[in-house]
Amino acid sequence: MAPDPRTGTARLALGRGARPFAAALAVAGVAALLHLALPQAAGGIAGASAARLRPVPSVRSAKGPCVLRADRLVLRGARFRGVVSVRTGGGTVRALKFTVRSLDAVNLDLTAGRGRAAMRLRARPATTSTLRGQGAGGVATLYVRKLTGRVTSISGGRLPVHRTVTVTPDAVPHWLSHLATRSSARTITFSGATASQITQFGGRLSIRGPQLRSAAQGRHGA
């Protein structure tokens, strides 16, 4: 799918729980595939947060590392669903699970894969890329191995004492695990955010002025 010529925005529909985070992107009219594996039923919760959560199926993660960076990351209608099992080529690992109504990423920078096969997707500078949930629930599901950044806002909740955070399955801060016990969703805003080993299901991603190239080219500014 080519970008909309009127807005320069590329929109990618991601199927309900069946398509990868970036199954196909079009940049300058050229389609490129960033293959992330499909979800696969298995097991239930691995590890734990403070919340009592219903068992959920594990998923199979990306074939290679997938890292999302953003100067500002806003999770709207976010619910933390605890720590779940994720299958990888090296075995089962644990990941943080979130559902969101939408996600805004200012200055999106997404790298998928490793080595010479790694690809880098960047949005036009000073633009906001948006992932909107779809389907009956109107949500997208995110699985993240590591989330770092500075928490600048939590709707309806207190900011953590230490706002610069590193969240992993083995280090879930109380303010986040506490949100998992609440029925209402929250909007959580991070600055300087990095989400490592991210896999996403169910949503529509809009990117302004997308540029897709090899990660090596991106490092050398090609």
Side-chain angles (χ1 to χ4, degrees):
M1 180 196 323
D4 187 326
R6 297 169 298 177
T7 63
T9 301
R11 289 186 172 84
L12 173 66
L14 303 174
R16 290 167 48 192
R19 291 188 180 274
F21 180 65
L25 290 172
V27 179
V30 179
L33 299 181
L34 299 178
H35 294 288
L36 307 186
L38 299 179
Q40 178 170 330
I45 288 188
S49 72
R52 293 183 178 181
L53 301 174
R54 290 178 297 176
V56 297
S58 67
V59 299
R60 187 177 295 275
S61 72
K63 293 181 179 179
C66 187
V67 180
L68 181 152
R69 296 180 178 86
D71 290 348
R72 186 167 181 261
L73 188 68
V74 184
L75 309 179
R76 302 185 189 280
R79 298 176 188 270
F80 175 57
R81 303 293 189 176
V83 179
V84 300
S85 59
V86 177
R87 290 183 176 183
T88 72
T92 299
V93 298
R94 297 158 70 215
L96 308 160
K97 180 182 179 182
F98 296 87
T99 56
V100 298
R101 288 198 306 270
S102 67
L103 178 152
D104 291 342
V106 178
N107 290 334
L108 174 70
D109 186 342
L110 176 68
T111 302
R114 57 166 55 92
R116 293 183 178 180
M119 299 297 293
R120 187 176 185 184
L121 171 69
R122 302 186 72 179
R124 181 186 303 153
T127 63
T128 299
S129 302
T130 300
L131 173 73
R132 298 190 185 281
Q134 292 185 298
V139 299
T141 302
L142 308 175
Y143 299 91
V144 183
R145 291 287 309 281
K146 183 179 180 180
L147 176 63
T148 63
R150 179 174 173 80
V151 182
T152 59
S153 175
I154 303 175
S155 66
R158 294 182 179 179
L159 287 170
V161 175
H162 301 289
R163 297 189 188 183
T164 298
V165 299
T166 298
V167 186
T168 70
D170 294 318
V172 179
H174 175 73
W175 64 267
L176 184 58
S177 61
H178 181 67
L179 292 181
T181 66
R182 300 296 184 90
S183 59
S184 59
R186 297 286 189 267
T187 295
I188 308 174
T189 303
F190 297 86
S191 64
T194 299
S196 302
Q197 285 292 97
I198 183 169
T199 303
Q200 180 275 334
F201 300 94
R204 179 180 292 274
L205 178 64
S206 298
I207 305 173
R208 290 185 178 275
Q211 297 179 348
L212 183 66
R213 61 187 66 186
S214 71
Q217 285 178 315
R219 285 194 296 269
H220 292 90

